[in-house]
Amino acid sequence: MNIVEENWEEIIQKLKIEHSLTDVSFKTWILPLRVYKVTSNTVYILVNLKASIDYIKNKYLLPFQVCIAEVVGKEYEVKFIAENEFDPKDFEDKTATPKSKVTVSQAANLNPKYTFDTFVVGGNNNFAHAASLAVAESPGEVYNPLFLYGGVGLGKTHLMHSIAHFILENEPEKKVLYVTSETFTNELIEAIKNGKTGNESAMTAFREKYRSIDVLLIDDIQFIIGKESTQEEFFHTFNHLHISGKQIIISSDKPPKDIETLEARLRSRFECGLVADISSPDYETRMAILRKKEELDGLDKYNIPDAVMQYIASNVKSNIRELEGSLNKLIALYKLKNAPIDINLAAEALKDIVSPNENRQVTPELILDVVSEHFNISIADLKSGKRNAEIAIPRQIVMYLCRTMTDTPLKAIGLTLGGRDHSTISHGVDKVTADIKASDTFSNTIDIIKKKLNPV
Ligand SMILES: Nc1ncnc2c1ncn2[C@@H]1O[C@H](COP(=O)(O)OP(=O)(O)OP(=O)(O)O)[C@@H](O)[C@H]1O
């Protein structure tokens, strides 16, 4: 069984929830679908009713691509084929298509949703957007490095992925790699550790990996700042790529001149290309982003009144992630309560929106938000009974952070995490404490999450 078939149930349930399918639509269109075959870049899905194939293609092709990518962590093209209508020979030919951009963008760690097409340009980001597009059109030739900076949730990652998608679409043979500075640091820590235990090729492999790239995108560079060995290694990687005319794109929460612990030699290198900022969006841009999200996520069917959109746009000002989150929360509340979508419901949806970073308090809810975003898993999963490591470890991290960064009693932490026993919480806290001691990479990850929770 391949990875898509193994996760098929989860994929279709996700599609149902994210696209708000009614039971009848789900049963009619989605449940009867079967995975016929999965090749390296394409999932072939059998449709039992030939008459419905066009409808299914129009309506569900993109949602399937996105849900498959989100569940299995790899992008595939999706093709629907009518059960009684396909010629296996034809089909084999089609699978033999050359390496597609889907595979390469997956290899570059890209989110399929973050493209220039889905990015709304406004006064707050037009300079950063124009610079990103110029770099995407001529990598290594115009602004090198491109340094994007701005506050939390304002679109830096989205722009970086857009650049990478654009380059791969036009030149699929280019080696493009997007990494967070956490990944870079953890890989470096591992290579150094392996080197110390006699495996010298580990460091060589690390260097080869990062120095053989055509376009390197490093997100949230602020998290490697202050770690000397990482800065040192990054400095050499940077120089190597820069001298060879390879494109480097960096993001951070501050401009280089304001990053106090940044070594002077790195600062001057970061400043030698183009530094572009993204600030908070104005009201019109916030409205445009809400409308775009409504369109992309198929929320039009809820007929959200203008006044409600305006209310959200007027009240959520400084973080686009929260702006999007408010809209999701509104729809979730609507479904839960079956109440009309009006200002009252919007006010309820906005109730828990965390205040801007500087003076926000670390609470169990904030910890859940930040951990869920960091590991790209849902809060529902964190609270669920799922025991696979991808979810169980972040859940234990939530326990640990609630215990060490807030005054919340074990019992209350248990309730926050879906009604768990206090001894389970206590075990989770001990486990994370021991893992921090045992593993430098794990400890680095915890450090980064703590900084996300409490940047000051
Ligand atoms: N201009 C925009 N148009 C459409 N969506 C946007 C825009 N800016 C941000 N977003 C959306 O807001 C969310 C947060 O953006 P993103 O993750 O890129 O922020 P960030 O600046 O990298 O945040 P962080 O500092 O936490 O790393 C994403 O879902 C992204 O698609």
Side-chain angles (χ1 to χ4, degrees):
M1 218 193 232
N2 61 66
I3 186 168
V4 177
E5 277 174 289
E6 271 168 24
N7 291 287
W8 187 243
E9 190 53 36
E10 192 178 341
I11 292 166
I12 60 177
Q13 287 303 334
K14 189 175 185 68
L15 191 132
K16 181 177 183 211
I17 293 166
E18 291 195 352
H19 295 272
S20 315
L21 296 195
T22 57
D23 284 343
V24 59
S25 306
F26 182 71
K27 274 189 197 140
T28 313
W29 307 117
I30 308 297
L31 261 188
L33 301 178
R34 294 280 167 266
V35 178
Y36 174 72
K37 178 166 179 154
V38 179
T39 65
S40 61
N41 52 22
T42 308
V43 178
Y44 291 86
I45 299 176
L46 279 180
V47 181
N48 62 339
L49 275 176
K50 181 174 169 259
S52 59
I53 193 161
D54 285 338
Y55 178 78
I56 291 178
K57 258 189 216 160
N58 282 337
K59 194 140 172 89
Y60 297 114
L61 187 94
L62 196 60
F64 261 113
Q65 277 176 349
V66 172
C67 289
I68 291 173
E70 284 177 354
V71 171
V72 307
K74 172 171 168 19
E75 285 175 30
Y76 287 93
E77 280 189 324
V78 168
K79 291 197 172 147
F80 292 102
I81 41 178
E83 235 169 43
N84 50 356
E85 247 230 334
F86 73 95
D87 175 345
K89 269 204 195 114
D90 264 27
F91 168 72
E92 289 307 331
D93 287 344
K94 279 184 210 151
T95 66
T97 47
K99 190 175 158 201
S100 87
K101 67 183 186 212
V102 175
T103 312
V104 278
S105 62
Q106 193 277 327
N109 298 335
L110 302 179
N111 181 330
K113 290 181 181 169
Y114 292 175
T115 63
F116 282 123
D117 288 340
T118 58
F119 190 83
V120 174
V121 184
N124 63 315
N125 59 26
N126 53 3
F127 181 58
H129 172 263
S132 300
L133 190 58
V135 163
E137 285 169 349
S138 315
E141 289 172 24
V142 275
Y143 310 122
N144 202 12
L146 173 63
F147 191 102
L148 299 168
Y149 76 90
V152 173
L154 289 181
K156 301 180 292 294
T157 305
H158 190 139
L159 265 186
M160 292 178 106
H161 285 215
S162 307
I163 298 172
H165 278 301
F166 188 101
I167 294 173
L168 286 170
E169 227 159 84
N170 292 300
E171 297 173 86
E173 70 290 348
K174 277 240 187 297
K175 278 188 164 178
V176 175
L177 182 68
Y178 164 89
V179 282
T180 59
S181 63
E182 177 191 359
T183 303
F184 182 85
T185 322
N186 281 349
E187 288 184 10
L188 178 62
I189 292 172
E190 276 301 306
I192 295 173
K193 192 176 101 193
N194 290 336
K196 279 187 189 148
T197 57
N199 177 4
E200 271 153 32
S201 59
M203 203 59 212
T204 315
F206 175 87
R207 291 196 173 127
E208 264 169 22
K209 171 175 174 185
Y210 282 95
R211 295 181 191 185
S212 64
I213 279 162
D214 296 312
V215 181
L216 177 63
L217 304 104
I218 299 221
D219 207 354
D220 289 329
I221 197 89
Q222 71 270 19
F223 295 129
I224 71 168
I225 309 302
K227 291 187 176 23
E228 260 173 47
S229 56
T230 324
Q231 282 203 44
E232 172 81 20
E233 189 60 35
F234 183 67
F235 175 76
H236 294 301
T237 306
F238 183 101
N239 278 349
H240 186 95
L241 293 175
H242 200 243
I243 289 165
S244 329
K246 310 297 188 184
Q247 180 71 47
I248 302 154
I249 299 144
I250 298 164
S251 86
S252 172
D253 60 345
K254 294 192 193 83
K257 69 177 172 44
D258 292 346
I259 309 178
E260 282 154 22
T261 45
L262 184 64
E263 283 181 30
R265 56 184 184 162
L266 264 181
R267 178 172 306 139
S268 69
R269 272 163 182 78
F270 288 172
E271 284 170 343
C272 75
L274 182 76
V275 178
D277 80 305
I278 306 183
S279 53
S280 299
D282 59 16
Y283 173 79
E284 277 69 35
T285 312
R286 298 199 294 276
M287 276 301 283
I289 290 172
L290 287 174
R291 291 288 180 213
K292 185 85 181 177
K293 184 166 168 60
E294 185 184 31
E295 173 202 326
L296 291 173
D297 291 358
L299 305 179
D300 326 40
K301 59 178 174 284
Y302 297 107
N303 296 320
I304 304 170
D306 280 346
V308 169
M309 289 296 216
Q310 286 157 2
Y311 179 86
I312 297 177
S314 309
N315 284 285
V316 187
K317 296 180 180 162
S318 57
N319 181 333
I320 296 170
R321 191 174 294 120
E322 285 175 358
L323 190 68
E324 295 184 335
S326 310
L327 197 54
N328 291 339
K329 181 87 186 281
L330 178 80
I331 300 298
L333 280 176
Y334 162 72
K335 287 185 200 155
L336 200 72
K337 302 191 154 193
N338 211 2
I341 300 186
D342 58 12
I343 302 280
N344 286 337
L345 200 70
E348 196 177 340
L350 263 54
K351 202 172 61 188
D352 300 326
I353 290 294
V354 283
S355 49
N357 267 349
E358 308 81 57
N359 43 27
R360 69 180 180 184
Q361 235 196 325
V362 179
T363 60
E365 288 68 34
L366 180 66
I367 292 174
L368 273 175
D369 267 355
V370 170
V371 172
S372 109
E373 205 231 311
H374 186 90
F375 292 102
N376 200 13
I377 53 181
S378 68
I379 291 182
D381 276 347
L382 285 172
K383 293 184 173 189
S384 73
K386 292 186 185 165
R387 284 158 172 248
N388 46 324
E390 294 78 42
I391 293 167
I393 294 173
R395 185 184 297 129
Q396 289 178 333
I397 293 176
V398 172
M399 299 174 189
Y400 170 84
L401 294 171
C402 287
R403 193 65 181 146
T404 53
M405 295 183 81
T406 73
D407 294 330
T408 320
L410 291 175
K411 202 168 168 197
I413 300 174
L415 287 176
T416 306
L417 279 168
R420 290 182 149 74
D421 194 45
H422 75 278
S423 60
T424 309
I425 306 299
S426 183
H427 169 76
V429 175
D430 292 346
K431 170 90 175 31
V432 173
T433 312
D435 288 351
I436 290 175
K437 285 198 189 117
S439 155
D440 287 345
T441 53
F442 188 74
S443 157
N444 181 48
T445 297
I446 299 290
D447 244 24
I448 288 174
I449 301 174
K450 280 184 171 172
K451 281 191 195 145
K452 286 187 175 176
L453 281 160
N454 199 355
V456 228

